[in-house]
Amino acid sequence: MSSAETATADCKQAGAAADSRTFKLTVAYDGTRYAGWQVQPKRETIQAALERAIAQVCRERVRVTGSGRTDSGVHAIGQVASFSLTAWRAGAADLTRALNSKLPADISVRQTEDAVADFHAIRDAIGKRYRYQLRVGGNRDAFDYRYRWHLAGPIDLDAMRQAAAAIRGRQDFASFQAAGSDRKTTVRDIRDLVLSEQDGVGQGEESPGRLLAIEVEADGFLYNMVRNIVGTLVEVGRGKRSPDWVGEVIAARDRRVGGPTAPGHGLCLLSVDYPPEVLLSSSEPSRCE
Amino acid sequence: MSSAETATADCKQAGAAADSRTFKLTVAYDGTRYAGWQVQPKRETIQAALERAIAQVCRERVRVTGSGRTDSGVHAIGQVASFSLTAWRAGAADLTRALNSKLPADISVRQTEDAVADFHAIRDAIGKRYRYQLRVGGNRDAFDYRYRWHLAGPIDLDAMRQAAAAIRGRQDFASFQAAGSDRKTTVRDIRDLVLSEQDGVGQGEESPGRLLAIEVEADGFLYNMVRNIVGTLVEVGRGKRSPDWVGEVIAARDRRVGGPTAPGHGLCLLSVDYPPEVLLSSSEPSRCE
């Protein structure tokens, strides 16, 4: 893509009427190389890479707001971010192409859409879905170690499923919030929590062990909430705790009662939901460019 | 795995009878971070990482012989290497575990087997199988860019399949040998060459394009042979050349006639075949530990 020149041509000349345009960006990334989403001094982050790409494409320094800050090593297939530009005059799809031509290969913009002027990726989010991937037993895998927590095993998946029943619905999930967090409310509505066995064999190990996935959807998540849920379910799967214990953990409203925090690299932000009104009605139909 | 101590305990004391044991090692690696297989000054390679791990495990500096030198960025699921140790007294499976505890996460030993004293990974190989992966059209993918050559497309797979027919069998493949190579003979027997469409959607892109794989099996390969075959087939797939052209390329016995060399990161060494006699009959049954 030789969009270096076209990109510049797509930016208004300095002095042109500065009517700001707000965009909704859907972005995928392999978080392995990054110190998480949020800009940090001296460490490379997803947000910093995106802001640099925007500055290169349109000579405009803007702040990009992510729907949430993913931690170091955490991946995303459908992270959403909002930002505004005054100088972009071409279509939103052209902005996707221009940004991808500047971004490193492990970050890819999947879609750029015109949003209403006050669209805000955190405030307007109405739901999120995460997937946590595990590999139980089997050999090490030189390919998928970046995307799975590898446990020695064995794991009792049925016991984990029984335990998971207690985690669904609208409840106070203070026990799954990272210690030291300070949210107004720790009540969240977990709409879906599914444990499944995956059968893909990665890049072809003969003894891959069991590949498990835990998907969780909620109206919102507390800091480290998915990783703490996974760490707690794994305690049950390993037989260290009974399935009933998870109800006690939730009732305690105390992070110290639950299992350990599962490592970040098994986690992937699958999607963030917004009401359709956040998009400009004149926008192209929602599709992946 | 706390095999640091056990590993040392598994090594014979200095001064013990030094009867050498030869091993056949099957190893997988993600080649992204490496300057290929072969030891090089100042650059990290797979061979160097393996030799270092062996030295750490058994305080013995040995040379590891790979079945072939994979290039920078090329991956392997079933590379095979041979080496000899005088100090290892535990089982071959214990060596697998000890080496994996020392190796970086993107290299994994899949199996270690006791081989006959003169087993040599290059000389004894009777066949190899490679897979080359392509992604045609679609978005960039933040996850699988390390493992696929991404082409803008479109690609005519049927034309490529027609062209591939000329590449099978025992022939002089001098046209697919990297310029400057100097092998005794450039005749090789391509036993299998299959082009297929894959349906896995990587890490979930909405517009993944077409995922193609080209698998090639032969009694042996010339330097860059698979990548040159792929680059030549892609010329046909893109409509720049007719399927018949590939027969002319082979007949020319001249590297300058064929298509460009496809990039290394799409290539993966799947397996290397040896006659069963290379393993010690007393060895454990062939399985992946």
Side-chain angles (χ1 to χ4, degrees):
Chain A
M1 294 184 220
S2 65
S3 39
E5 312 79 42
T6 47
T8 309
D10 286 337
C11 295
K12 286 173 185 163
Q13 301 301 315
D19 40 325
S20 168
R21 253 168 97 180
T22 302
F23 294 100
K24 173 174 181 261
L25 200 74
T26 305
V27 59
Y29 46 84
D30 180 328
T32 308
R33 290 199 309 127
Y34 298 89
W37 170 268
Q38 195 179 26
V39 166
Q40 288 185 33
K42 294 182 189 168
R43 300 188 66 190
E44 180 61 334
T45 66
I46 311 291
Q47 187 191 3
L50 282 170
E51 292 178 355
R52 212 163 45 234
I54 293 169
Q56 282 180 286
V57 161
C58 220
R59 304 221 171 88
E60 208 173 339
R61 291 217 64 90
V62 299
R63 181 100 302 191
V64 168
T65 302
S67 74
R69 305 167 188 173
T70 53
D71 281 331
S72 183
V74 173
H75 315 287
I77 287 174
Q79 169 71 292
V80 171
S82 54
F83 64 99
S84 297
L85 290 177
T86 55
W88 189 257
R89 61 178 186 179
D94 300 303
L95 188 51
T96 297
R97 279 186 286 274
L99 291 175
N100 279 335
S101 76
K102 300 299 182 187
L103 284 166
D106 50 9
I107 304 181
S108 66
V109 174
R110 297 174 54 199
Q111 190 174 30
T112 311
E113 296 162 283
D114 278 291
V116 294
D118 63 346
F119 170 60
H120 188 278
I122 300 176
R123 201 191 49 221
D124 294 336
I126 54 175
K128 275 187 190 174
R129 191 172 183 94
Y130 281 96
R131 180 176 61 208
Y132 197 95
Q133 295 194 131
L134 300 152
R135 180 182 177 89
V136 182
N139 285 326
R140 290 178 1 144
D141 187 306
F143 297 93
D144 80 355
Y145 70 93
R146 300 182 189 92
Y147 312 117
R148 288 185 189 276
W149 183 18
H150 190 184
L151 302 171
I155 276 281
D156 183 343
L157 185 59
D158 286 335
M160 289 171 77
R161 284 188 169 132
Q162 262 181 270
I167 305 179
R168 296 195 185 91
R170 186 166 201 86
Q171 298 186 64
D172 184 343
F173 288 110
S175 292
F176 293 134
Q177 171 173 248
S181 302
D182 188 22
R183 295 282 175 96
K184 260 183 297 186
T185 168
T186 47
V187 173
R188 293 291 184 277
D189 184 12
I190 295 192
R191 298 164 185 158
D192 197 19
L193 173 54
V194 185
L195 287 77
S196 60
E197 193 131 16
Q198 301 170 300
D199 46 30
V201 186
Q203 290 279 333
E205 290 299 292
E206 282 169 35
S207 177
R210 294 173 73 189
L211 306 181
L212 306 182
I214 300 174
E215 290 201 13
V216 200
E217 189 171 321
D219 55 349
F221 288 88
L222 303 164
Y223 184 56
N224 272 358
M225 184 166 159
V226 181
R227 291 165 59 188
N228 290 333
I229 287 173
V230 170
T232 300
L233 289 176
V234 164
E235 291 287 285
V236 174
R238 282 170 158 163
K240 293 189 185 172
R241 301 288 191 160
S242 77
D244 297 340
W245 168 68
V246 174
E248 295 167 32
V249 170
I250 295 174
R253 295 189 176 82
D254 182 345
R255 174 70 193 105
R256 292 168 297 183
V257 179
T261 306
H265 69 271
L267 186 63
C268 183
L269 173 55
L270 295 181
S271 57
V272 189
D273 294 329
Y274 296 91
E277 306 88 70
V278 305
L279 295 180
L280 281 191
S281 51
S282 64
S283 185
E284 302 138 276
S286 175
R287 60 179 173 82
C288 222
E289 279 119 27
Chain B
M1 296 182 221
S2 65
S3 39
E5 310 80 43
T6 48
T8 308
D10 287 336
C11 295
K12 286 173 185 162
Q13 300 303 313
D19 40 327
S20 169
R21 253 168 96 180
T22 302
F23 294 98
K24 173 175 182 260
L25 201 74
T26 306
V27 59
Y29 45 84
D30 179 329
T32 308
R33 290 200 306 129
Y34 298 89
W37 170 268
Q38 195 180 26
V39 165
Q40 287 185 35
K42 293 184 188 165
R43 299 188 67 190
E44 180 62 333
T45 66
I46 311 291
Q47 187 191 3
L50 283 170
E51 292 178 356
R52 212 164 45 234
I54 293 169
Q56 281 181 285
V57 161
C58 221
R59 304 220 171 89
E60 207 172 340
R61 292 218 62 91
V62 299
R63 182 102 302 191
V64 169
T65 302
S67 74
R69 306 169 187 172
T70 53
D71 281 330
S72 183
V74 173
H75 316 287
I77 287 174
Q79 169 72 290
V80 170
S82 54
F83 63 98
S84 298
L85 289 178
T86 54
W88 189 256
R89 61 177 186 181
D94 300 302
L95 188 50
T96 298
R97 279 186 286 275
L99 291 176
N100 279 334
S101 76
K102 301 297 182 188
L103 285 165
D106 48 10
I107 303 180
S108 67
V109 173
R110 295 175 55 200
Q111 190 173 29
T112 311
E113 295 163 284
D114 278 291
V116 294
D118 63 346
F119 171 60
H120 189 279
I122 299 176
R123 201 190 50 221
D124 294 336
I126 53 176
K128 277 187 190 175
R129 192 173 182 92
Y130 281 97
R131 179 176 62 207
Y132 197 95
Q133 295 194 132
L134 300 152
R135 181 182 177 90
V136 182
N139 287 325
R140 290 180 359 147
D141 187 303
F143 297 93
D144 80 357
Y145 70 94
R146 299 182 190 91
Y147 312 117
R148 287 183 189 278
W149 183 18
H150 190 184
L151 302 172
I155 276 280
D156 183 344
L157 184 59
D158 285 336
M160 288 171 76
R161 283 187 171 133
Q162 262 181 270
I167 305 179
R168 295 194 186 92
R170 186 166 201 85
Q171 297 187 64
D172 185 342
F173 288 110
S175 292
F176 294 133
Q177 171 173 250
S181 302
D182 187 22
R183 295 282 176 100
K184 262 182 296 186
T185 168
T186 46
V187 173
R188 293 291 184 276
D189 184 11
I190 296 194
R191 298 165 185 158
D192 196 21
L193 174 54
V194 185
L195 287 77
S196 60
E197 192 132 15
Q198 300 171 299
D199 46 30
V201 186
Q203 290 280 331
E205 291 297 290
E206 282 170 35
S207 177
R210 293 173 72 190
L211 306 181
L212 305 182
I214 301 174
E215 290 200 13
V216 200
E217 189 171 321
D219 55 349
F221 288 88
L222 303 165
Y223 186 55
N224 273 357
M225 184 166 158
V226 182
R227 291 164 59 188
N228 290 333
I229 288 174
V230 171
T232 299
L233 289 176
V234 163
E235 292 287 285
V236 174
R238 281 171 158 161
K240 292 187 185 172
R241 300 286 190 161
S242 76
D244 296 340
W245 169 68
V246 174
E248 296 168 31
V249 170
I250 295 174
R253 294 189 177 82
D254 182 344
R255 173 70 194 105
R256 291 167 298 181
V257 178
T261 306
H265 70 272
L267 186 63
C268 183
L269 173 55
L270 295 181
S271 57
V272 190
D273 294 330
Y274 296 91
E277 306 87 71
V278 305
L279 294 181
L280 280 191
S281 51
S282 64
S283 185
E284 301 140 278
S286 177
R287 61 179 172 83
C288 221
E289 279 119 26

